């Protein structure tokens, strides 16, 4: 078992009986590659090449987005359509395309992968996985059901976390597969304090806090709740060091090597 897997599972066991601040602060944060890696010269986001590059840059895990395509499969794709990821060449909606057609769309020499492919790839490289269920979809229930079907056979030796901004999606997934760890994403919107306080009621292992609202006070509150605290999207080395000093559990970053070096 890798260090990343041990750390992730230890955090899960600590939920509900919050570890001391001193014990949690002594561990360096896990690093999750945001959609793999992103930036100039990087592979297309949410592709196997991007996830492989994240691992090569020292990430402990990967973060990816999932939605249901036209034939019902879960695919790794952030946007509801293909316009941005194809540079405007293909504006079609993913929900309207069956997998056999979607898989042929060119993403700078790569393609949209199935979630099942990503999970198999990550297991091979011993990468932790954070799956974000997208809420800007025609049918949120379909995304939850498809995710539950795929992770029902989850092996607890592989670090896996399912997240969403939608508390109903998180609660629904928990009812279907209660053993699978879940995280509530918290945005800087006016509802952020409500979301922070809602995480325990949803049975969420973790809260994923946008970096602009990751204040010491909110981090302290989440620690008192016993939540695992992951912050997104952290690309500034000094900010990463400050968050690590506050004892956060994970950092989601576009640039794993830069942040790894900053925390070394």
């Amino acid at each position: 078992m890798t260090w990343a897997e041990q750390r992730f599972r230890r955090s899960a066991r600590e939920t509900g009986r919050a570890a001391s601040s001193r014990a949690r602060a002594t561990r360096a944060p896990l690093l999750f590659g945001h959609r793999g890696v992103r930036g100039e010269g990087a592979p297309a986001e949410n592709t196997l090449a991007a996830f492989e590059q994240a691992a090569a840059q020292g990430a402990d895990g990967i973060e990816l987005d999932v939605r249901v395509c036209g034939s019902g499969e879960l695919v790794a794709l952030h946007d509801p359509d293909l316009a941005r990821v194809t540079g405007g060449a293909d504006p079609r909606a993913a929900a309207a395309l069956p997998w056999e057609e979607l898989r042929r769309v060119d993403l700078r020499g790569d393609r949209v992968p199935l979630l099942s492919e990503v999970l198999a790839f990550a297991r091979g490289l011993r990468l932790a996985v954070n799956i974000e269920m997208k809420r800007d979809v025609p049918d949120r229930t379909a995304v939850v059901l498809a995710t539950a079907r795929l992770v029902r056979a989850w092996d607890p030796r592989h670090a896996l976390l399912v997240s969403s901004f939608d508390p109903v999606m998180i609660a629904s997934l928990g009812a279907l597969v209660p053993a699978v760890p879940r995280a509530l994403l918290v945005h800087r919107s006016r509802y952020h304090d409500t979301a922070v306080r809602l995480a325990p009621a949803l049975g969420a292992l973790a809260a994923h806090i946008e970096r602009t609202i990751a204040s010491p006070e909110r981090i302290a509150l989440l620690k008192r709740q016993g939540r695992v605290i992951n912050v997104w999207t952290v690309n500034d080395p000094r900010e990463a060091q400050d968050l690590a000093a506050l004892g956060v559990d994970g950092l989601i970053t576009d640039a794993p090597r830069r942040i790894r070096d900053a925390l070394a």
Side-chain angles (χ1 to χ4, degrees), residues 48-238:
L48 295 183
F51 302 139
E52 185 172 24
Q53 184 63 32
Q57 290 192 19
D60 303 294
I62 54 175
E63 183 272 351
L64 64 140
D65 312 278
V66 297
R67 57 182 66 248
V68 173
C69 70
S71 50
E73 291 89 352
L74 271 175
V75 297
L77 186 66
H78 180 273
D79 296 2
D81 59 53
L82 298 164
R84 183 178 59 86
V85 292
T86 62
D90 192 337
R92 292 176 297 174
L97 295 175
W99 166 241
E100 285 304 316
E101 193 169 349
L102 184 59
R103 69 184 299 187
R104 293 196 293 271
V105 174
D106 178 48
L107 303 183
R108 304 206 306 268
D110 214 316
R111 64 170 175 83
V112 175
L114 293 167
L115 176 58
S116 57
E117 294 178 303
V118 177
L119 291 177
F121 174 84
R123 280 195 297 270
L125 291 183
R126 300 276 188 169
L127 289 171
V129 179
N130 170 38
I131 303 164
E132 181 190 339
M133 299 185 294
K134 301 305 289 182
R135 60 178 177 175
D136 58 341
V137 295
D139 185 351
R140 297 183 188 185
T141 300
V143 175
V144 172
L145 291 174
T147 303
R149 283 194 297 269
L150 200 57
V151 301
R152 183 165 281 119
W154 168 65
D155 183 345
R157 291 174 297 180
H158 183 215
L160 175 71
L161 187 65
V162 180
S163 65
S164 180
F165 284 104
D166 187 330
V168 175
M169 295 177 79
I170 289 295
S172 300
L173 186 78
L176 294 169
V177 281
V180 174
R182 301 172 302 285
L184 181 64
L185 278 155
V186 182
H187 190 263
R188 63 179 178 273
S189 70
R190 64 183 182 275
Y191 302 113
H192 52 255
D193 285 325
T194 300
V196 164
R197 289 172 170 81
L198 187 60
L202 296 172
L205 164 72
H208 289 186
I209 306 293
E210 188 174 9
R211 64 175 186 81
T212 58
I213 57 169
S215 66
E217 295 77 17
R218 289 196 183 93
I219 290 171
L221 172 60
L222 289 164
K223 285 187 175 186
R224 290 196 297 272
Q225 291 178 355
R227 299 310 101 193
V228 171
I229 307 164
N230 297 322
V231 181
W232 56 278
T233 302
V234 180
N235 295 326
D236 180 78
R238 178 58 184 270

